[in-house]
Amino acid sequence: MRGQGTTVLDGCTVRSLGPGNVLAGGTVLLNGGRLEGEVAKSVSLGGSGAAVVRDAWLGAHVKDDPWTGEGGFAEYRNTGPGAAVTADRPQLTDRQATRHTVKRYLAGWRP
């Protein structure tokens, strides 16, 4: 997903077809859903912009150090073989997570 606006992926399944970044540019919230792919440790979650991946299932294709480049990145309560809590993977606190919701990102806009 690329762009300079705000992107909200709520409950989506995102399938990686090869190596690269899943999210790049702009402000992105991936809330729930699944990140799937075939090749183990082949994708980064993001490389620029600001991204939060929360409450999602991450497949084994996600790299152990999934954030590259300059940007503001965080994770929260992810599960699956590609999820981990390490020094290289910033985690939101419960309090911080209240600021990273679909409702807040959409700022009143109702699709």
Side-chain angles (χ1 to χ4, degrees):
M1 306 296 150
R2 293 186 181 275
Q4 294 306 311
T6 297
T7 302
V8 174
L9 302 168
D10 187 26
C12 297
T13 297
V14 178
R15 182 153 182 78
S16 297
L17 299 178
N21 286 326
V22 177
L23 311 168
T27 301
V28 181
L29 172 66
L30 187 133
N31 183 67
R34 297 175 63 88
L35 296 180
E36 300 177 348
E38 297 291 323
V39 181
K41 311 290 185 209
S42 63
V43 301
S44 297
L45 293 177
S48 63
V52 172
V53 177
R54 62 171 296 164
D55 300 308
W57 184 92
L58 308 182
H61 68 302
V62 175
K63 292 179 179 179
D64 291 333
D65 184 6
W67 301 107
T68 62
E70 301 290 323
F73 310 117
E75 298 179 59
Y76 183 69
R77 295 190 319 200
N78 294 321
T79 60
V85 176
T86 68
D88 296 325
R89 298 177 78 154
Q91 302 291 310
L92 297 175
T93 65
D94 290 342
R95 185 173 181 178
Q96 290 169 326
T98 65
R99 295 190 302 266
H100 297 277
T101 64
V102 172
K103 184 176 180 178
R104 287 225 175 169
Y105 273 61
L106 295 180
W109 182 69
R110 301 181 84 180

